[in-house]
Amino acid sequence: DQPARPIRLTKPVYPQEGFVKKIEGTVVVEILIDVTGRVSRARVVQSIPALDAAALACVRQWVFAPAMKHGRPVPTLASAPVHFKIY
């Protein structure tokens, strides 16, 4: 009936190695949002090896209003792109 809605999305912390080597790009993470709106599982589906751990740490901090089905919260899978860019 209603998809999960983001409440708090934190920005990733650039890992030192990735920053020094000027590695940029997007890591795509599949996340499972549980009935409380927390990320209960996360796995990388599109990898940038030097940035994967930082992307996983980032999405695990995210908070959502849970997806709703028939007026009740339900777990849901979502794709979460995490962008890394050096300014």
Side-chain angles (χ1 to χ4, degrees), residues 8-87:
R8 188 183 80 212
L9 301 179
T10 57
K11 298 246 186 261
V13 176
Y14 233 108
Q16 186 67 29
E17 176 194 3
F19 188 80
V20 169
K21 293 181 178 176
K22 295 182 173 38
I23 299 170
E24 295 184 331
T26 300
V27 176
V28 179
V29 182
E30 180 185 81
I31 58 175
L32 177 64
I33 303 164
D34 68 16
V35 296
T36 67
R38 300 278 177 184
V39 175
S40 62
R41 192 175 73 217
R43 71 180 182 95
V44 173
V45 292
Q46 188 176 321
S47 175
I48 300 174
L51 305 176
D52 289 352
L56 288 169
C58 175
V59 299
R60 286 188 180 116
Q61 297 174 44
W62 291 1
V63 180
F64 294 83
M68 302 295 278
K69 184 120 179 135
H70 304 298
R72 301 179 68 147
V74 292
T76 188
L77 277 177
S79 181
V82 181
H83 306 287
F84 290 86
K85 183 150 180 66
I86 299 171
Y87 294 99

